[in-house]
Each structure stands twice: as C-alpha cells, then as structure tokens.
Amino acid sequence: MNESQSHVVVLIGSPKGVEKSSSAKLARAITNGLESAKWACEWFHTHRVLQSQEDWEAMVVSMSRADVILLAAPLYVDGLPAPVIETLHRLLDARNMIVSEEDPPRMLSLLNCGFVEAEQNHTAQMMVRIFSDDMGFQWSGGISLGAGGTMTKRIRAALEMVSEALRDDVLIPDAVAITTTAPIMRPWLYVLGGNFMWRRRAKANGVRDQLKAQPYKRV
Ligand SMILES: Cc1cc2nc3c(=O)[nH]c(=O)nc-3n(C[C@H](O)[C@H](O)[C@H](O)COP(=O)(O)O)c2cc1C
C-alpha cells in the first residue's frame, strides 16, 4: 500500500470468517469495486484479532490509516455476536491510536440476518452507530439485509452503488436502503421454504419424528 492510495479496512464479525460467511461475501461485493479503483483493502476477522496480540496490533495500525471502515457481521439474537461487541469495546479503549481529529475515517456497517425482514437488524445497527459516534468516525450509514444475506441481482447492484458512493466520497444513495430492505420473497413463502429445509435435514439425520420434541419442558 502506498501513502496516496485510498484504504478500506474490512472487519468481518462472523465466526465463519473471511472465507465462508455471508458477511464476507456481501462485503466483497463492495470491496471489488474499490479494488478496481486501486484502493487498498485490508481484512480482519474480529474473532481472530481477539486471540492474537500481533493481529490486534496490525488491525489498529491499519485502522489508523483507513479512509473507510466497513464492519460486516451477522445478527445474533437481535444484537451483534459477542466477539464483535468485545472488539468494539477494545477499539474504544484504543481510540487515541486510531482516530485523528482532523481527518476521521468514514464508517459503515453491513449486517445480515436469517429472518426475511431486514428490519430485524435495527437494534444491532444502532449499536454500531453509537460505537462509530463514540469513536469520532464519520457515519456513512448502515446497510441491512434479510434472508441470510442472499445475493440476488438487485442486492449486488445495490452494493455496487455503495462502492461507487465510497469511491466518489458522497452519501450512500437512498436507493440502496430501498433495495436492500425489500424482502426477497413473501414472508410466508420464506417460512414454508424454511420448514421444508428443517424437515429435510431432520430426515437426513434420522430425527424426522422429533422435530416437535421439547426436551426441556417441565413435566
Ligand atoms: C447463534 C445465532 C443467533 C442468531 N440470531 C438471529 C436473530 O436474532 N435474528 C435473525 O434474523 N437471525 C439470526 N441468526 C441467523 C444469522 O444472522 C444468519 O444465519 C446470517 O446469515 C449468518 O451470517 P454469516 O454467514 O455472515 O455468519 C442467528 C444465527 C445464530 C448462529
């Protein structure tokens, strides 16, 4: 990376990591457009930086040079996964090493959840927004996706719009939120598909007749 190059830091907050998670796949749809404009992209896995002092320090140095910080994470129990929360707390403690008052980086979050409604991510988005404000970053916005972050054509097009807005240093267009929050299918159809999937998996595991089991129910 050279000094004149724009620089994005991507924090992946899924235990599935940088290779296999929906969070990473979605983030890549944004960084591809930045890389083709010669941005430097550095990726870190929140679960990993908590385990290694060396990785932690590399992330802090990288963030201190960043123009943009992108947090991509799944929704866990209506919030952020615990290692993501811990990473954000520790970053707040390291704030002085990361943020310069004259030129703070922009921050955006990209959250995806299992339910079909993207609005499920609202509380977690607020958590990231508060973190960004406390760090003194410039808030660029929160992008929420439902249905496990399924990458449809229109979601890809919306993420490419995000990439363009970051490159041009302009606000993320409202069309992005309109596109990403529109459910990819009717909720009843999603539930039907989900039930079908559970039945198929239960059958494959020989527990087809136990789907309604309540092992912890008091008798
Ligand atoms: C422990 C756990 C808790 C979850 N909690 C929620 C939840 O509260 N709401 C929801 O819509 N999806 C929930 N999910 C589903 C994940 O958000 C969803 O599978 C997501 O696509 C995973 O993204 P990733 O591949 O980036 O990890 C949960 C998944 C797990 C494993």
Side-chain angles (χ1 to χ4, degrees):
M1 193 186 89
N2 61 51
E3 284 303 308
S4 60
Q5 216 177 357
S6 297
H7 176 200
V8 56
V9 171
V10 185
L11 305 179
I12 297 298
S14 163
K16 291 181 232 159
V18 176
E19 302 297 328
K20 294 194 175 142
S21 61
S22 295
S23 303
K25 188 181 62 188
L26 295 164
R28 211 160 281 124
I30 296 178
T31 58
N32 282 345
L34 299 176
E35 275 169 337
S36 48
K38 306 273 180 278
W39 281 49
C41 300
E42 288 187 289
W43 293 67
F44 296 92
H45 183 205
T46 51
H47 298 52
R48 213 181 146 137
V49 293
L50 293 175
Q51 317 261 322
S52 149
Q53 187 59 22
E54 201 184 327
D55 289 354
W56 175 266
E57 283 164 15
M59 181 187 69
V60 167
V61 170
S62 183
M63 286 178 79
S64 71
R65 299 188 301 226
D67 298 284
V68 170
I69 292 162
L70 166 61
L71 170 67
L75 185 72
Y76 270 16
V77 199
D78 290 341
L80 296 167
V84 176
I85 296 175
E86 190 176 346
T87 301
L88 300 187
H89 276 290
R90 282 186 56 183
L91 283 172
L92 211 50
D93 292 339
R95 184 185 176 280
N96 291 342
M97 282 184 270
I98 297 172
V99 194
S100 81
E101 306 299 334
E102 309 87 64
D103 192 17
R106 287 173 280 158
M107 171 157 203
L108 75 156
S109 58
L110 176 59
L111 304 182
N112 87 91
C113 69
F115 283 114
V116 76
E117 304 91 359
E119 295 77 23
Q120 301 277 344
N121 294 295
H122 180 74
T123 307
Q125 289 287 9
M126 293 309 293
M127 293 163 81
V128 187
R129 174 72 203 260
I130 290 168
F131 162 78
S132 172
D133 289 350
D134 287 352
M135 286 294 283
F137 294 156
Q138 304 175 63
W139 181 243
S140 281
I143 301 150
S144 290
L145 295 156
T150 306
M151 184 73 85
T152 60
K153 255 189 186 171
R154 74 178 156 82
I155 298 289
R156 185 175 293 284
L159 296 176
E160 282 167 4
M161 267 191 256
V162 173
S163 191
E164 261 171 51
L166 292 174
R167 276 188 333 234
D168 298 343
D169 198 1
V170 295
L171 292 176
I172 292 169
D174 293 344
V176 170
I178 295 166
T179 308
T180 50
T181 54
I184 64 159
M185 63 177 78
R186 290 181 187 279
W188 67 264
L189 192 58
Y190 189 74
V191 171
L192 193 76
N195 285 341
F196 177 74
M197 181 270 297
W198 280 117
R199 279 197 289 272
R200 209 180 45 188
R201 285 201 187 170
K203 192 172 171 197
N205 286 286
V207 288
R208 174 71 183 84
D209 56 344
Q210 290 176 47
L211 269 174
K212 293 192 174 159
Q214 295 176 294
Y216 299 108
K217 191 177 176 190
R218 284 168 194 266
V219 278

